[in-house]
Amino acid sequence: MMLYARQMNIGIETVMMPTRAQGLLLILLLHLVLSPSAGQSICTGTETFDKVTGVLLNSASLTPLYSAVGNTVTAECNNRCRASQDCPAFLIDYDEEACYRLDTNSDDNRELIVPSRGRRTNYFEKVCLQAPACEKAWIYERVPGYELEGYDDRVIGEVGTRQRCQELCLLETEFQCKSAEYVYNTLQCRLSRETRRSQPASYRATTEDLVYLENQCARDKRPQNCQYDEYENQDIGYADIQVSARNPKECGEQCDQTSAFNCRSFTYFPGTGVCRLSGDDNISTGPEAVTVRRGAQYYQRSPCLDLSLVCTGESMTVTLTTEEPFEGRLYAQKKGRECEVRGKSRTSTELTFYFEEEAAARCGTVQEDAGVYSNVIVVQHHPVIQRKGDRAVQLYCYFETGDKVVTNSYNVLADTIDGVDSSTPSSVVNATAPSPGVRLRITTETGEDISGTRLGEKLFLRIEMDRESIFGIFARNLKAISGDDADSIDLLDERGCPTDPVIFPGLQQLPNSRDLQGNFEAFKFSDTSVVRFQVNVQFCVDECNPVDCGDDIFSYGKRRRRDADENGVAVTLPPRTTSVPEPYASRLVYDPNLGQEVISMDTPLSREIIVDPGTKIDSFRDPRAETKFGPGGVFIQAGDFGDGDVVCTTLPVVVATGAAVVFLQLCILVTCILCIYTAKRGKKTDRQIDRQSLHSGSSVTPHPPPTLYHDNLTFRPSVSGSSRMTENSASTLKSLRTSLRD
């Protein structure tokens, strides 16, 4: 309105302007002021959205845009904001199942974007890109403060804006640009063929001057051998579309066919048949977003396998092809170390099984029928431990027709494995003063101790301290050791920093306590289900402080001051503010790595759990079998079976059919017994009536009455008597005759 007033004054002061010109100027100014697009630029390219997961826009005004309790809101919110010139951005609150229009966006001030801790939210910001469009509801997913290290295929300097970097990725022609990074302070744009999902180990936190941008138009071409990882009784809570499905498979098919966004996970509710599709997974939201929800089945895309099988007269050879050098293990499921091949940083890895009797027994190759050989291999991506996403694959070689087939089977395992004492071991520094007691626990999200779990379940490693102790605790050298002590992996190094944040992200201090906690997904070793955790604990006076491990990762222990500088000059430590009683005071030792005085425990803490692999054997079918028998069918090698001789069924159907047959036979048997019992009882009654009739007929007249028949029994009068029939005997005979007729 100030602009309008100034322009009005200019028009009024120009007294020499003709009256008609003044009128036209006023109309033009009113149109500019009252137009809904006033103050906003009109997009002449592709108007779309950037999506930022798990954040809020600080200080922005929220206006309700749409809500739908019991349903999803993403599509409607996207459409309403896209159609409005007064909607620069919108925010979805998935817990409230509602969205809000914002009065501003983060273009002028990216510091406004803050994490929405404890809430499930996604921020969508309207952008205009001068580049080809795709059918996605949002073209880029933006992650401030993260990068994909080491996979820059093209680096471009002097790129003025983040939007221009996004356009360069969409316009790239020499390779498919799947992600980009923009550095605000150097105006540098980095383009990459990879994403945080194809290279999760290289995706890490960095400075706030860098933003990671994932191109949603470059959807990965998923091979046939792709699966979803299942999380029973859990849900991610970021649903974007709600549909109906009869089973999880149908729900997954709808996720695969979704074109409005890249569907990465879904949740199925068997009780209602509700299927909720999501563009997020635990990579975009973080592992803590997947929480317990009874009755829900959460599924998330897992890595795909590119396998091929070649069968000869002497052996079967399976080849794993990967985009990146493979450093894991390929081994026979039943034989483990006896029959394996380890990745040698190549993109092609082969494992051969021989059919000769001794070699077959060594590797677990089974001859299931004449000319039919099979084995089950495990594809393990980590060189030491087995994690969620590793796959078991069943291989078949048929020699009747020379076919080679990779087919499917399933290994159903129990949800949990118990039988191990769930008591928590403790280690205590013995002394006369209050002891700094500490114990190691492995718990669920609800804080319950566990002794058995399934591969990929969300667990918490807790190191608990006595509440009234004067000491804080610091953990280092955390190891996971196999049950047979053959393998081990370091989770925390000597400094207390995580060696691989993807496997174990480190320890954090719980609020209002001195306990330490770190969350991780359950893993196991190849040859055993027993995993033993072992950690060394040190005690610091007052509290230990977190050590900066780099990449925005902090773990408990901090390198603050050393007793000597880089030149070996001694540094004076500050005096302690807390009095340390004996015998602890004499046991305090300065730790140069921490810059603190500590007490080291003599015995490391230890805790064992059993991890159920829960692995499924993937589906790999011969294309000819798929065409002939249809998807999901079982490939049966040609033999003496006719077209109608084979019936495919399931175990529940077989059990139900057997129970019905048994019940029918019992019903027939009971009916027969009742019939026999009824017949015998009827015969007994008829005999009694026969005797009564013969007795009363002894005084009947010589003139024979008509013969009566009842149930094949003949009643005849006696022929030897000559006495006259009395009036009473006649009445008796009449009554008997009537009774017999009835």
Side-chain angles (χ1 to χ4, degrees):
M1 291 303 293
M2 293 298 294
L3 174 62
Y4 169 70
R6 288 195 296 269
Q7 292 177 342
M8 286 291 294
N9 290 336
I10 293 174
I12 293 173
E13 292 173 359
T14 311
V15 293
M16 298 301 294
M17 184 177 292
T19 303
R20 171 174 285 185
Q22 289 179 348
L24 292 174
L25 179 60
L26 287 174
I27 293 173
L28 178 61
L29 292 175
L30 287 172
H31 175 74
L32 291 174
V33 172
L34 299 178
S35 173
S37 61
Q40 295 188 20
S41 60
I42 299 176
C43 180
T44 59
T46 301
E47 187 174 73
T48 181
F49 290 94
D50 281 356
K51 171 184 169 183
V52 189
T53 297
V55 301
L56 299 169
L57 197 64
N58 201 14
S59 303
S61 175
L62 302 181
T63 302
L65 188 63
Y66 180 71
S67 66
V69 178
N71 209 326
T72 54
V73 300
T74 305
E76 186 65 24
C77 298
N78 185 291
N79 294 336
R80 292 192 180 194
C81 187
R82 189 185 296 270
S84 173
Q85 294 293 331
D86 296 328
C87 183
F90 68 93
L91 182 80
I92 295 181
D93 190 322
Y94 291 92
D95 294 327
E96 295 182 359
E97 296 176 326
C99 63
Y100 303 88
R101 177 176 62 84
L102 307 183
D103 60 347
T104 185
N105 58 30
S106 66
D107 273 349
D108 297 330
N109 190 358
R110 48 192 170 87
E111 286 75 17
L112 292 177
I113 298 179
V114 295
S116 57
R117 304 190 185 279
R119 297 173 61 186
R120 293 183 175 94
T121 63
N122 276 343
Y123 168 68
F124 293 84
E125 182 172 291
K126 190 179 291 185
V127 294
C128 181
L129 301 177
Q130 303 297 324
C134 64
E135 74 278 10
K136 305 302 180 186
W138 56 90
I139 292 183
Y140 275 97
E141 292 182 357
R142 191 197 317 169
V143 189
Y146 273 79
E147 68 174 339
L148 192 66
E149 186 179 28
Y151 290 93
D152 300 333
D153 293 296
R154 188 187 298 280
V155 178
I156 307 171
E158 300 302 323
V159 179
T161 63
R162 184 196 73 245
Q163 288 86 342
R164 181 55 185 162
C165 183
Q166 293 173 292
E167 293 169 354
L168 292 173
C169 182
L170 293 172
L171 294 170
E172 178 60 47
T173 57
E174 291 189 9
F175 59 90
Q176 186 181 34
C177 178
K178 296 182 180 180
S179 68
E181 298 162 359
Y182 183 70
V183 187
Y184 288 98
N185 57 356
T186 63
L187 304 182
Q188 190 180 74
C189 178
R190 309 168 184 168
L191 309 183
S192 176
R193 309 170 194 261
E194 304 296 334
T195 69
R196 53 184 168 174
R197 292 176 176 83
S198 63
Q199 300 297 335
S202 300
Y203 178 66
R204 58 192 61 189
T206 182
T207 65
E208 293 299 325
D209 288 327
L210 194 148
V211 60
Y212 171 81
L213 306 163
E214 190 165 293
N215 181 10
Q216 302 303 292
C217 293
R219 185 171 183 175
D220 293 335
K221 182 180 179 182
R222 292 176 61 82
Q224 177 186 2
N225 308 327
C226 298
Q227 298 289 326
Y228 286 92
D229 289 333
E230 179 182 355
Y231 298 76
E232 191 174 358
N233 290 319
Q234 297 182 61
D235 185 20
I236 196 171
Y238 282 80
D240 293 308
I241 291 181
Q242 179 170 304
V243 295
S244 297
R246 291 172 293 183
N247 49 56
K249 180 181 178 182
E250 186 176 299
C251 188
E253 291 173 351
Q254 297 197 55
C255 184
D256 294 336
Q257 297 167 4
T258 299
S259 61
F261 58 89
N262 291 336
C263 180
R264 297 190 174 94
S265 66
F266 65 89
T267 302
Y268 181 69
F269 299 87
T272 60
V274 171
C275 170
R276 290 193 155 197
L277 314 181
S278 176
D280 285 303
D281 53 16
N282 62 12
I283 296 177
S284 60
T285 63
E288 65 278 358
V290 181
T291 57
V292 175
R293 184 169 184 178
R294 297 298 176 189
Q297 297 177 2
Y298 172 67
Y299 295 83
Q300 177 175 300
R301 290 190 188 278
S302 60
C304 302
L305 295 179
D306 186 0
L307 288 174
S308 61
L309 179 65
V310 176
C311 299
T312 67
E314 296 80 25
S315 65
M316 63 168 69
T317 300
V318 60
T319 303
L320 171 67
T321 304
T322 55
E323 293 184 1
E324 295 300 317
F326 182 69
E327 298 179 352
R329 295 177 62 205
L330 203 62
Y331 63 92
Q333 186 183 49
K334 295 182 179 179
K335 296 299 179 179
R337 296 177 182 277
E338 299 178 19
C339 197
E340 69 167 358
V341 60
R342 293 182 177 267
K344 298 180 180 179
S345 298
R346 299 174 182 172
T347 57
S348 181
T349 306
E350 293 185 355
L351 178 61
T352 300
F353 302 107
Y354 292 95
F355 301 140
E356 186 268 327
E357 184 175 353
E358 183 177 348
R362 181 175 61 86
C363 289
T365 303
V366 178
Q367 184 175 359
E368 298 195 355
D369 203 347
V372 181
Y373 291 86
S374 72
N375 205 332
V376 177
I377 64 166
V378 175
V379 181
Q380 179 179 301
H381 293 84
H382 192 276
V384 180
I385 62 173
Q386 191 177 110
R387 294 182 292 172
K388 194 84 170 179
D390 292 340
R391 288 286 178 264
V393 183
Q394 187 165 19
L395 311 175
Y396 279 98
C397 278
Y398 297 89
F399 289 100
E400 288 83 358
T401 59
D403 291 339
K404 53 180 182 291
V405 178
V406 184
T407 187
N408 71 312
S409 179
Y410 290 91
N411 180 19
V412 181
L413 299 170
D415 290 338
T416 58
I417 301 177
D418 294 319
V420 178
D421 185 7
S422 61
S423 60
T424 306
S426 300
S427 294
V428 177
V429 178
N430 296 318
T432 56
S435 300
V438 62
R439 61 177 181 170
L440 175 64
R441 299 175 60 204
I442 307 294
T443 70
T444 63
E445 191 171 11
T446 58
E448 300 174 356
D449 288 287
I450 61 105
S451 58
T453 186
R454 296 193 65 173
L455 197 69
E457 291 294 324
K458 186 177 181 179
L459 300 178
F460 293 84
L461 185 145
R462 295 170 61 103
I463 302 176
E464 296 184 348
M465 185 73 180
D466 286 348
R467 297 299 187 272
E468 299 180 357
S469 175
I470 64 171
F471 294 97
I473 51 177
F474 171 79
R476 63 175 69 205
N477 294 328
L478 172 62
K479 296 178 179 290
I481 306 171
S482 63
D484 55 5
D485 293 326
D487 289 317
S488 66
I489 179 174
D490 292 331
L491 303 179
L492 296 179
D493 61 16
E494 175 66 24
R495 296 187 305 147
C497 292
T499 57
D500 188 343
V502 175
I503 300 175
F504 190 81
L507 293 170
Q508 300 297 323
Q509 187 172 11
L510 294 177
N512 303 320
S513 75
R514 302 194 179 190
D515 299 342
L516 304 182
Q517 177 176 284
N519 66 288
F520 66 100
E521 290 186 354
F523 57 84
K524 65 179 289 293
F525 294 91
S526 306
D527 301 325
T528 176
S529 294
V530 178
V531 181
R532 183 170 74 254
F533 295 91
Q534 182 175 296
V535 62
N536 292 330
V537 175
Q538 291 182 329
F539 301 97
C540 309
V541 180
D542 294 328
E543 290 187 357
C544 300
N545 297 293
V547 59
D548 185 357
C549 300
D551 297 329
D552 201 26
I553 298 174
F554 293 86
S555 194
Y556 259 75
K558 182 179 180 182
R559 187 178 305 180
R560 291 194 297 180
R561 285 179 294 272
R562 299 181 180 271
D563 61 343
D565 60 15
E566 299 298 330
N567 298 320
V569 179
V571 177
T572 303
L573 294 175
R576 293 191 298 267
T577 58
T578 302
S579 176
V580 181
E582 289 293 346
Y584 296 140
S586 60
R587 297 181 58 184
L588 288 172
V589 178
Y590 180 77
D591 189 329
N593 289 325
L594 298 179
Q596 292 177 284
E597 292 181 309
V598 300
I599 297 176
S600 298
M601 291 187 59
D602 298 327
T603 305
L605 299 179
S606 181
R607 182 77 169 91
E608 280 189 359
I609 62 172
I610 298 178
V611 180
D612 182 346
T615 53
K616 293 182 178 179
I617 302 179
D618 283 346
S619 301
F620 296 92
R621 298 183 176 85
D622 191 319
R624 289 167 292 180
E626 188 76 14
T627 302
K628 183 176 180 180
F629 297 100
V634 179
F635 182 76
I636 301 176
Q637 189 68 17
D640 297 328
F641 299 104
D643 291 339
D645 294 336
V646 179
V647 178
C648 295
T649 183
T650 61
L651 181 60
V653 174
V654 173
V655 174
T657 303
V661 171
V662 173
F663 178 77
L664 181 61
Q665 291 177 343
L666 289 175
C667 291
I668 294 174
L669 181 61
V670 171
T671 302
C672 293
I673 293 174
L674 290 176
C675 290
I676 295 173
Y677 175 78
T678 303
K680 288 184 177 180
R681 186 174 181 181
K683 290 180 181 180
K684 182 178 179 180
T685 303
D686 292 340
R687 290 193 188 97
Q688 292 176 353
I689 296 175
D690 188 22
R691 286 195 296 270
Q692 293 176 0
S693 300
L694 293 174
H695 175 74
S696 59
S698 58
S699 58
V700 176
T701 179
H703 304 281
T707 304
L708 304 178
Y709 297 90
H710 179 71
D711 291 337
N712 297 325
L713 296 178
T714 302
F715 295 87
R716 300 179 184 277
S718 174
V719 296
S720 59
S722 59
S723 61
R724 297 175 56 188
M725 181 181 294
T726 63
E727 184 177 355
N728 291 334
S729 62
S731 299
T732 301
L733 182 59
K734 182 178 180 181
S735 175
L736 177 61
R737 187 177 300 161
T738 301
S739 175
L740 290 174
R741 287 198 185 98
D742 294 337

